[in-house]
PDB file of all heavy atoms in Angstrom:
ATOM      1  N   THR D 247     -42.322  44.426  45.290  1.00 93.00           N
ATOM      2  CA  THR D 247     -42.210  43.019  45.708  1.00 93.00           C
ATOM      3  C   THR D 247     -42.096  42.955  47.225  1.00 93.00           C
ATOM      4  O   THR D 247     -41.963  41.891  47.807  1.00 93.00           O
ATOM      5  CB  THR D 247     -40.939  42.349  45.117  1.00 93.00           C
ATOM      6  OG1 THR D 247     -39.830  43.154  45.462  1.00 93.00           O
ATOM      7  CG2 THR D 247     -41.057  42.214  43.620  1.00 93.00           C
ATOM      8  N   ARG D 295     -27.287  55.461  33.017  1.00 76.00           N
ATOM      9  CA  ARG D 295     -28.580  55.431  33.689  1.00 76.00           C
ATOM     10  C   ARG D 295     -28.866  54.155  34.438  1.00 76.00           C
ATOM     11  O   ARG D 295     -29.563  54.147  35.426  1.00 76.00           O
ATOM     12  CB  ARG D 295     -29.722  55.642  32.665  1.00 76.00           C
ATOM     13  CG  ARG D 295     -29.960  57.080  32.342  1.00 76.00           C
ATOM     14  CD  ARG D 295     -31.274  57.255  31.639  1.00 76.00           C
ATOM     15  NE  ARG D 295     -32.424  57.103  32.532  1.00 76.00           N
ATOM     16  CZ  ARG D 295     -33.666  57.307  32.138  1.00 76.00           C
ATOM     17  NH1 ARG D 295     -33.915  57.674  30.895  1.00 76.00           N
ATOM     18  NH2 ARG D 295     -34.660  57.161  32.974  1.00 76.00           N
ATOM     19  N   THR D 296     -28.342  53.063  33.923  1.00 75.00           N
ATOM     20  CA  THR D 296     -28.698  51.798  34.570  1.00 75.00           C
ATOM     21  C   THR D 296     -27.601  51.246  35.459  1.00 75.00           C
ATOM     22  O   THR D 296     -27.654  50.127  35.889  1.00 75.00           O
ATOM     23  CB  THR D 296     -29.060  50.735  33.496  1.00 75.00           C
ATOM     24  OG1 THR D 296     -27.988  50.640  32.576  1.00 75.00           O
ATOM     25  CG2 THR D 296     -30.319  51.100  32.779  1.00 75.00           C
ATOM     26  N   LYS D 302     -27.694  58.794  42.890  1.00 88.00           N
ATOM     27  CA  LYS D 302     -29.151  58.918  42.778  1.00 88.00           C
ATOM     28  C   LYS D 302     -29.522  60.368  42.928  1.00 88.00           C
ATOM     29  O   LYS D 302     -29.151  61.031  43.886  1.00 88.00           O
ATOM     30  CB  LYS D 302     -29.794  58.069  43.854  1.00 88.00           C
ATOM     31  CG  LYS D 302     -29.417  56.624  43.560  1.00 88.00           C
ATOM     32  CD  LYS D 302     -29.927  55.580  44.367  1.00 88.00           C
ATOM     33  CE  LYS D 302     -29.416  54.238  43.878  1.00 88.00           C
ATOM     34  NZ  LYS D 302     -28.262  54.218  42.968  1.00 88.00           N
ATOM     35  N   ARG D 346     -31.380  51.719  47.889  1.00 91.00           N
ATOM     36  CA  ARG D 346     -31.420  52.858  46.950  1.00 91.00           C
ATOM     37  C   ARG D 346     -32.244  53.996  47.515  1.00 91.00           C
ATOM     38  O   ARG D 346     -31.838  55.154  47.475  1.00 91.00           O
ATOM     39  CB  ARG D 346     -32.033  52.400  45.626  1.00 91.00           C
ATOM     40  CG  ARG D 346     -31.188  51.398  44.893  1.00 91.00           C
ATOM     41  CD  ARG D 346     -32.037  50.577  43.970  1.00 91.00           C
ATOM     42  NE  ARG D 346     -33.078  49.844  44.703  1.00 91.00           N
ATOM     43  CZ  ARG D 346     -33.892  48.963  44.130  1.00 91.00           C
ATOM     44  NH1 ARG D 346     -33.795  48.719  42.843  1.00 91.00           N
ATOM     45  NH2 ARG D 346     -34.800  48.330  44.870  1.00 91.00           N
ATOM     46  N   ARG D 420     -39.175  40.766  33.585  1.00 90.00           N
ATOM     47  CA  ARG D 420     -38.123  41.600  33.056  1.00 90.00           C
ATOM     48  C   ARG D 420     -38.156  41.570  31.526  1.00 90.00           C
ATOM     49  O   ARG D 420     -37.744  42.504  30.852  1.00 90.00           O
ATOM     50  CB  ARG D 420     -36.785  41.046  33.540  1.00 90.00           C
ATOM     51  CG  ARG D 420     -35.739  42.052  33.875  1.00 90.00           C
ATOM     52  CD  ARG D 420     -34.462  41.300  34.076  1.00 90.00           C
ATOM     53  NE  ARG D 420     -33.930  40.877  32.785  1.00 90.00           N
ATOM     54  CZ  ARG D 420     -32.804  41.360  32.272  1.00 90.00           C
ATOM     55  NH1 ARG D 420     -32.076  42.190  32.939  1.00 90.00           N
ATOM     56  NH2 ARG D 420     -32.413  40.940  31.076  1.00 90.00           N
ATOM     57  N   LYS D 676     -15.806   1.441  25.592  1.00 97.00           N
ATOM     58  CA  LYS D 676     -15.451   2.801  25.994  1.00 97.00           C
ATOM     59  C   LYS D 676     -15.895   3.858  24.967  1.00 97.00           C
ATOM     60  O   LYS D 676     -16.499   4.864  25.317  1.00 97.00           O
ATOM     61  CB  LYS D 676     -13.927   2.851  26.186  1.00 97.00           C
ATOM     62  CG  LYS D 676     -13.343   4.217  26.384  1.00 97.00           C
ATOM     63  CD  LYS D 676     -13.432   4.687  27.805  1.00 97.00           C
ATOM     64  CE  LYS D 676     -12.763   6.030  27.977  1.00 97.00           C
ATOM     65  NZ  LYS D 676     -13.376   6.782  29.076  1.00 97.00           N
ATOM     66  N   ARG D 684     -21.960  10.578  26.840  1.00 91.00           N
ATOM     67  CA  ARG D 684     -21.239  11.666  27.505  1.00 91.00           C
ATOM     68  C   ARG D 684     -20.622  12.728  26.609  1.00 91.00           C
ATOM     69  O   ARG D 684     -20.054  13.693  27.111  1.00 91.00           O
ATOM     70  CB  ARG D 684     -20.093  11.056  28.354  1.00 91.00           C
ATOM     71  CG  ARG D 684     -20.583  10.321  29.565  1.00 91.00           C
ATOM     72  CD  ARG D 684     -19.424   9.936  30.469  1.00 91.00           C
ATOM     73  NE  ARG D 684     -18.641   8.841  29.949  1.00 91.00           N
ATOM     74  CZ  ARG D 684     -18.941   7.560  30.119  1.00 91.00           C
ATOM     75  NH1 ARG D 684     -19.980   7.234  30.848  1.00 91.00           N
ATOM     76  NH2 ARG D 684     -18.186   6.614  29.599  1.00 91.00           N
ATOM     77  N   LYS D 777       1.607  -4.133  44.601  1.00 83.00           N
ATOM     78  CA  LYS D 777       0.582  -4.607  43.689  1.00 83.00           C
ATOM     79  C   LYS D 777       0.672  -6.127  43.598  1.00 83.00           C
ATOM     80  O   LYS D 777       1.769  -6.689  43.607  1.00 83.00           O
ATOM     81  CB  LYS D 777       0.789  -3.967  42.321  1.00 83.00           C
ATOM     82  CG  LYS D 777       0.436  -2.503  42.358  1.00 83.00           C
ATOM     83  CD  LYS D 777       0.786  -1.749  41.098  1.00 83.00           C
ATOM     84  CE  LYS D 777       0.600  -0.262  41.391  1.00 83.00           C
ATOM     85  NZ  LYS D 777       0.832   0.564  40.221  1.00 83.00           N
TER      86      LYS D 777
ATOM     87  P     G O  12      -2.231  23.826  30.088  1.00 81.10           P
ATOM     88  OP1   G O  12      -3.013  25.048  30.274  1.00 81.10           O
ATOM     89  OP2   G O  12      -1.946  22.961  31.266  1.00 81.10           O
ATOM     90  O5'   G O  12      -2.907  22.924  28.976  1.00 81.10           O
ATOM     91  C5'   G O  12      -3.294  23.539  27.734  1.00 81.10           C
ATOM     92  C4'   G O  12      -3.921  22.475  26.859  1.00 81.10           C
ATOM     93  O4'   G O  12      -2.943  21.474  26.530  1.00 81.10           O
ATOM     94  C3'   G O  12      -5.044  21.682  27.496  1.00 81.10           C
ATOM     95  O3'   G O  12      -6.242  22.411  27.504  1.00 81.10           O
ATOM     96  C2'   G O  12      -5.083  20.468  26.580  1.00 81.10           C
ATOM     97  O2'   G O  12      -5.690  20.777  25.346  1.00 81.10           O
ATOM     98  C1'   G O  12      -3.593  20.211  26.370  1.00 81.10           C
ATOM     99  N9    G O  12      -3.082  19.267  27.384  1.00 81.10           N
ATOM    100  C8    G O  12      -2.491  19.578  28.577  1.00 81.10           C
ATOM    101  N7    G O  12      -2.147  18.538  29.261  1.00 81.10           N
ATOM    102  C5    G O  12      -2.555  17.461  28.481  1.00 81.10           C
ATOM    103  C6    G O  12      -2.452  16.059  28.733  1.00 81.10           C
ATOM    104  O6    G O  12      -1.975  15.470  29.687  1.00 81.10           O
ATOM    105  N1    G O  12      -2.997  15.331  27.673  1.00 81.10           N
ATOM    106  C2    G O  12      -3.545  15.868  26.533  1.00 81.10           C
ATOM    107  N2    G O  12      -4.015  14.995  25.632  1.00 81.10           N
ATOM    108  N3    G O  12      -3.648  17.174  26.307  1.00 81.10           N
ATOM    109  C4    G O  12      -3.134  17.898  27.311  1.00 81.10           C
ATOM    110  P     U O  16     -14.064   8.964  37.568  1.00 81.10           P
ATOM    111  OP1   U O  16     -13.642  10.179  38.271  1.00 81.10           O
ATOM    112  OP2   U O  16     -14.581   7.805  38.308  1.00 81.10           O
ATOM    113  O5'   U O  16     -15.104   9.382  36.438  1.00 81.10           O
ATOM    114  C5'   U O  16     -16.256  10.176  36.715  1.00 81.10           C
ATOM    115  C4'   U O  16     -17.498   9.481  36.246  1.00 81.10           C
ATOM    116  O4'   U O  16     -17.329   9.012  34.880  1.00 81.10           O
ATOM    117  C3'   U O  16     -17.907   8.242  37.063  1.00 81.10           C
ATOM    118  O3'   U O  16     -19.328   8.213  37.158  1.00 81.10           O
ATOM    119  C2'   U O  16     -17.450   7.081  36.185  1.00 81.10           C
ATOM    120  O2'   U O  16     -18.235   5.893  36.368  1.00 81.10           O
ATOM    121  C1'   U O  16     -17.685   7.645  34.802  1.00 81.10           C
ATOM    122  N1    U O  16     -16.851   7.045  33.766  1.00 81.10           N
ATOM    123  C2    U O  16     -17.458   6.327  32.739  1.00 81.10           C
ATOM    124  O2    U O  16     -18.659   6.179  32.684  1.00 81.10           O
ATOM    125  N3    U O  16     -16.619   5.785  31.816  1.00 81.10           N
ATOM    126  C4    U O  16     -15.244   5.907  31.796  1.00 81.10           C
ATOM    127  O4    U O  16     -14.606   5.379  30.882  1.00 81.10           O
ATOM    128  C5    U O  16     -14.679   6.650  32.869  1.00 81.10           C
ATOM    129  C6    U O  16     -15.474   7.177  33.787  1.00 81.10           C
ATOM    130  P     C O  20      -7.858   4.468  42.850  1.00 81.10           P
ATOM    131  OP1   C O  20      -7.700   5.845  43.340  1.00 81.10           O
ATOM    132  OP2   C O  20      -8.260   4.226  41.458  1.00 81.10           O
ATOM    133  O5'   C O  20      -6.519   3.661  43.100  1.00 81.10           O
ATOM    134  C5'   C O  20      -5.815   3.758  44.343  1.00 81.10           C
ATOM    135  C4'   C O  20      -4.349   3.706  44.057  1.00 81.10           C
ATOM    136  O4'   C O  20      -4.034   2.493  43.366  1.00 81.10           O
ATOM    137  C3'   C O  20      -3.842   4.830  43.138  1.00 81.10           C
ATOM    138  O3'   C O  20      -2.529   5.199  43.533  1.00 81.10           O
ATOM    139  C2'   C O  20      -3.776   4.162  41.767  1.00 81.10           C
ATOM    140  O2'   C O  20      -2.856   4.739  40.908  1.00 81.10           O
ATOM    141  C1'   C O  20      -3.352   2.755  42.177  1.00 81.10           C
ATOM    142  N1    C O  20      -3.724   1.758  41.166  1.00 81.10           N
ATOM    143  C2    C O  20      -2.717   1.057  40.520  1.00 81.10           C
ATOM    144  O2    C O  20      -1.537   1.295  40.823  1.00 81.10           O
ATOM    145  N3    C O  20      -3.025   0.163  39.572  1.00 81.10           N
ATOM    146  C4    C O  20      -4.322  -0.058  39.293  1.00 81.10           C
ATOM    147  N4    C O  20      -4.580  -0.983  38.357  1.00 81.10           N
ATOM    148  C5    C O  20      -5.392   0.630  39.933  1.00 81.10           C
ATOM    149  C6    C O  20      -5.044   1.531  40.872  1.00 81.10           C
ATOM    150  P     C O  24      -0.963   5.936  28.135  1.00 81.10           P
ATOM    151  OP1   C O  24      -0.662   4.616  27.524  1.00 81.10           O
ATOM    152  OP2   C O  24       0.122   6.731  28.725  1.00 81.10           O
ATOM    153  O5'   C O  24      -1.693   6.846  27.048  1.00 81.10           O
ATOM    154  C5'   C O  24      -2.725   6.324  26.220  1.00 81.10           C
ATOM    155  C4'   C O  24      -3.365   7.440  25.431  1.00 81.10           C
ATOM    156  O4'   C O  24      -4.093   8.320  26.346  1.00 81.10           O
ATOM    157  C3'   C O  24      -2.382   8.399  24.751  1.00 81.10           C
ATOM    158  O3'   C O  24      -1.923   7.878  23.521  1.00 81.10           O
ATOM    159  C2'   C O  24      -3.263   9.627  24.572  1.00 81.10           C
ATOM    160  O2'   C O  24      -4.200   9.468  23.540  1.00 81.10           O
ATOM    161  C1'   C O  24      -3.987   9.658  25.900  1.00 81.10           C
ATOM    162  N1    C O  24      -3.250  10.448  26.925  1.00 81.10           N
ATOM    163  C2    C O  24      -3.419  11.843  26.931  1.00 81.10           C
ATOM    164  O2    C O  24      -4.142  12.375  26.083  1.00 81.10           O
ATOM    165  N3    C O  24      -2.745  12.586  27.847  1.00 81.10           N
ATOM    166  C4    C O  24      -1.947  11.955  28.746  1.00 81.10           C
ATOM    167  N4    C O  24      -1.316  12.728  29.637  1.00 81.10           N
ATOM    168  C5    C O  24      -1.792  10.549  28.760  1.00 81.10           C
ATOM    169  C6    C O  24      -2.456   9.833  27.836  1.00 81.10           C
ATOM    170  P     C O  26       2.240  12.881  20.421  1.00 81.10           P
ATOM    171  OP1   C O  26       2.529  12.790  18.982  1.00 81.10           O
ATOM    172  OP2   C O  26       2.956  12.047  21.405  1.00 81.10           O
ATOM    173  O5'   C O  26       2.392  14.411  20.886  1.00 81.10           O
ATOM    174  C5'   C O  26       1.855  15.432  20.080  1.00 81.10           C
ATOM    175  C4'   C O  26       2.049  16.771  20.782  1.00 81.10           C
ATOM    176  O4'   C O  26       1.465  16.731  22.114  1.00 81.10           O
ATOM    177  C3'   C O  26       3.504  17.137  21.074  1.00 81.10           C
ATOM    178  O3'   C O  26       4.166  17.635  19.929  1.00 81.10           O
ATOM    179  C2'   C O  26       3.308  18.196  22.143  1.00 81.10           C
ATOM    180  O2'   C O  26       2.859  19.403  21.588  1.00 81.10           O
ATOM    181  C1'   C O  26       2.188  17.591  22.972  1.00 81.10           C
ATOM    182  N1    C O  26       2.730  16.793  24.109  1.00 81.10           N
ATOM    183  C2    C O  26       3.240  17.497  25.211  1.00 81.10           C
ATOM    184  O2    C O  26       3.214  18.753  25.175  1.00 81.10           O
ATOM    185  N3    C O  26       3.767  16.820  26.253  1.00 81.10           N
ATOM    186  C4    C O  26       3.768  15.498  26.252  1.00 81.10           C
ATOM    187  N4    C O  26       4.285  14.877  27.315  1.00 81.10           N
ATOM    188  C5    C O  26       3.257  14.758  25.152  1.00 81.10           C
ATOM    189  C6    C O  26       2.749  15.429  24.111  1.00 81.10           C
ATOM    190  P     C O  65     -12.906   5.201  59.725  1.00 81.10           P
ATOM    191  OP1   C O  65     -13.566   3.963  60.174  1.00 81.10           O
ATOM    192  OP2   C O  65     -12.484   6.239  60.698  1.00 81.10           O
ATOM    193  O5'   C O  65     -11.629   4.812  58.859  1.00 81.10           O
ATOM    194  C5'   C O  65     -10.443   4.391  59.517  1.00 81.10           C
ATOM    195  C4'   C O  65      -9.490   3.847  58.485  1.00 81.10           C
ATOM    196  O4'   C O  65     -10.064   2.617  57.934  1.00 81.10           O
ATOM    197  C3'   C O  65      -9.271   4.715  57.279  1.00 81.10           C
ATOM    198  O3'   C O  65      -8.302   5.707  57.510  1.00 81.10           O
ATOM    199  C2'   C O  65      -8.803   3.720  56.233  1.00 81.10           C
ATOM    200  O2'   C O  65      -7.455   3.324  56.439  1.00 81.10           O
ATOM    201  C1'   C O  65      -9.692   2.502  56.567  1.00 81.10           C
ATOM    202  N1    C O  65     -10.934   2.480  55.732  1.00 81.10           N
ATOM    203  C2    C O  65     -10.855   2.145  54.387  1.00 81.10           C
ATOM    204  O2    C O  65      -9.738   1.904  53.907  1.00 81.10           O
ATOM    205  N3    C O  65     -11.967   2.071  53.644  1.00 81.10           N
ATOM    206  C4    C O  65     -13.151   2.337  54.202  1.00 81.10           C
ATOM    207  N4    C O  65     -14.214   2.271  53.420  1.00 81.10           N
ATOM    208  C5    C O  65     -13.271   2.695  55.583  1.00 81.10           C
ATOM    209  C6    C O  65     -12.157   2.744  56.300  1.00 81.10           C
ATOM    210  P     A O  82     -28.870  42.970  32.802  1.00 81.10           P
ATOM    211  OP1   A O  82     -30.163  43.474  32.305  1.00 81.10           O
ATOM    212  OP2   A O  82     -27.658  43.067  31.996  1.00 81.10           O
ATOM    213  O5'   A O  82     -28.537  43.689  34.190  1.00 81.10           O
ATOM    214  C5'   A O  82     -29.531  43.767  35.194  1.00 81.10           C
ATOM    215  C4'   A O  82     -28.897  44.141  36.491  1.00 81.10           C
ATOM    216  O4'   A O  82     -27.708  43.333  36.753  1.00 81.10           O
ATOM    217  C3'   A O  82     -28.344  45.538  36.572  1.00 81.10           C
ATOM    218  O3'   A O  82     -29.381  46.487  36.689  1.00 81.10           O
ATOM    219  C2'   A O  82     -27.496  45.421  37.844  1.00 81.10           C
ATOM    220  O2'   A O  82     -28.288  45.366  38.991  1.00 81.10           O
ATOM    221  C1'   A O  82     -26.862  44.051  37.607  1.00 81.10           C
ATOM    222  N9    A O  82     -25.533  44.209  37.010  1.00 81.10           N
ATOM    223  C8    A O  82     -25.161  44.006  35.698  1.00 81.10           C
ATOM    224  N7    A O  82     -23.877  44.262  35.478  1.00 81.10           N
ATOM    225  C5    A O  82     -23.413  44.704  36.701  1.00 81.10           C
ATOM    226  C6    A O  82     -22.137  45.136  37.153  1.00 81.10           C
ATOM    227  N6    A O  82     -21.082  45.221  36.362  1.00 81.10           N
ATOM    228  N1    A O  82     -22.008  45.485  38.444  1.00 81.10           N
ATOM    229  C2    A O  82     -23.109  45.405  39.260  1.00 81.10           C
ATOM    230  N3    A O  82     -24.344  45.008  38.954  1.00 81.10           N
ATOM    231  C4    A O  82     -24.423  44.662  37.651  1.00 81.10           C
ATOM    232  P     C O  83     -28.977  47.974  36.494  1.00 81.10           P
ATOM    233  OP1   C O  83     -29.622  48.558  35.326  1.00 81.10           O
ATOM    234  OP2   C O  83     -27.510  48.018  36.647  1.00 81.10           O
ATOM    235  O5'   C O  83     -29.614  48.600  37.808  1.00 81.10           O
ATOM    236  C5'   C O  83     -29.395  47.946  39.056  1.00 81.10           C
ATOM    237  C4'   C O  83     -30.196  48.644  40.105  1.00 81.10           C
ATOM    238  O4'   C O  83     -29.696  50.002  40.219  1.00 81.10           O
ATOM    239  C3'   C O  83     -31.680  48.728  39.788  1.00 81.10           C
ATOM    240  O3'   C O  83     -32.449  48.509  40.962  1.00 81.10           O
ATOM    241  C2'   C O  83     -31.865  50.161  39.344  1.00 81.10           C
ATOM    242  O2'   C O  83     -33.131  50.662  39.630  1.00 81.10           O
ATOM    243  C1'   C O  83     -30.809  50.888  40.173  1.00 81.10           C
ATOM    244  N1    C O  83     -30.323  52.150  39.641  1.00 81.10           N
ATOM    245  C2    C O  83     -29.941  53.090  40.567  1.00 81.10           C
ATOM    246  O2    C O  83     -30.008  52.833  41.779  1.00 81.10           O
ATOM    247  N3    C O  83     -29.514  54.284  40.138  1.00 81.10           N
ATOM    248  C4    C O  83     -29.453  54.534  38.818  1.00 81.10           C
ATOM    249  N4    C O  83     -29.008  55.708  38.444  1.00 81.10           N
ATOM    250  C5    C O  83     -29.855  53.567  37.858  1.00 81.10           C
ATOM    251  C6    C O  83     -30.289  52.401  38.293  1.00 81.10           C
ATOM    252  P     C O  84     -32.664  46.938  41.400  1.00 81.10           P
ATOM    253  OP1   C O  84     -33.157  47.044  42.792  1.00 81.10           O
ATOM    254  OP2   C O  84     -31.552  46.062  41.067  1.00 81.10           O
ATOM    255  O5'   C O  84     -33.873  46.507  40.479  1.00 81.10           O
ATOM    256  C5'   C O  84     -35.182  47.016  40.740  1.00 81.10           C
ATOM    257  C4'   C O  84     -36.203  46.052  40.151  1.00 81.10           C
ATOM    258  O4'   C O  84     -36.306  46.310  38.737  1.00 81.10           O
ATOM    259  C3'   C O  84     -35.773  44.595  40.292  1.00 81.10           C
ATOM    260  O3'   C O  84     -36.849  43.810  40.674  1.00 81.10           O
ATOM    261  C2'   C O  84     -35.222  44.214  38.925  1.00 81.10           C
ATOM    262  O2'   C O  84     -35.494  42.911  38.545  1.00 81.10           O
ATOM    263  C1'   C O  84     -36.003  45.155  37.996  1.00 81.10           C
ATOM    264  N1    C O  84     -35.166  45.586  36.834  1.00 81.10           N
ATOM    265  C2    C O  84     -35.613  45.274  35.542  1.00 81.10           C
ATOM    266  O2    C O  84     -36.676  44.679  35.405  1.00 81.10           O
ATOM    267  N3    C O  84     -34.835  45.624  34.487  1.00 81.10           N
ATOM    268  C4    C O  84     -33.707  46.285  34.675  1.00 81.10           C
ATOM    269  N4    C O  84     -32.996  46.617  33.620  1.00 81.10           N
ATOM    270  C5    C O  84     -33.240  46.584  35.973  1.00 81.10           C
ATOM    271  C6    C O  84     -34.005  46.206  37.024  1.00 81.10           C
ATOM    272  P     A O  85     -37.665  43.391  41.547  1.00 81.10           P
ATOM    273  OP1   A O  85     -37.458  42.139  42.292  1.00 81.10           O
ATOM    274  OP2   A O  85     -38.735  43.580  40.599  1.00 81.10           O
ATOM    275  O5'   A O  85     -37.684  44.508  42.686  1.00 81.10           O
ATOM    276  C5'   A O  85     -38.883  44.870  43.224  1.00 81.10           C
ATOM    277  C4'   A O  85     -38.735  46.140  44.031  1.00 81.10           C
ATOM    278  O4'   A O  85     -37.819  47.038  43.405  1.00 81.10           O
ATOM    279  C3'   A O  85     -40.031  46.912  44.149  1.00 81.10           C
ATOM    280  O3'   A O  85     -40.847  46.445  45.200  1.00 81.10           O
ATOM    281  C2'   A O  85     -39.556  48.331  44.373  1.00 81.10           C
ATOM    282  O2'   A O  85     -39.181  48.524  45.701  1.00 81.10           O
ATOM    283  C1'   A O  85     -38.308  48.368  43.479  1.00 81.10           C
ATOM    284  N9    A O  85     -38.607  48.854  42.139  1.00 81.10           N
ATOM    285  C8    A O  85     -39.701  48.617  41.346  1.00 81.10           C
ATOM    286  N7    A O  85     -39.673  49.198  40.184  1.00 81.10           N
ATOM    287  C5    A O  85     -38.465  49.872  40.207  1.00 81.10           C
ATOM    288  C6    A O  85     -37.846  50.705  39.262  1.00 81.10           C
ATOM    289  N6    A O  85     -38.376  50.991  38.076  1.00 81.10           N
ATOM    290  N1    A O  85     -36.673  51.239  39.588  1.00 81.10           N
ATOM    291  C2    A O  85     -36.154  50.958  40.769  1.00 81.10           C
ATOM    292  N3    A O  85     -36.638  50.194  41.763  1.00 81.10           N
ATOM    293  C4    A O  85     -37.818  49.679  41.396  1.00 81.10           C
TER     294        A O  85
END
Side-chain angles (χ1 to χ4, degrees):
Chain D
T247 54
R295 278 195 73 175
T296 54
K302 297 183 179 17
R346 294 155 300 185
R420 217 190 74 114
K676 170 83 176 152
R684 288 189 286 275
K777 288 172 190 184

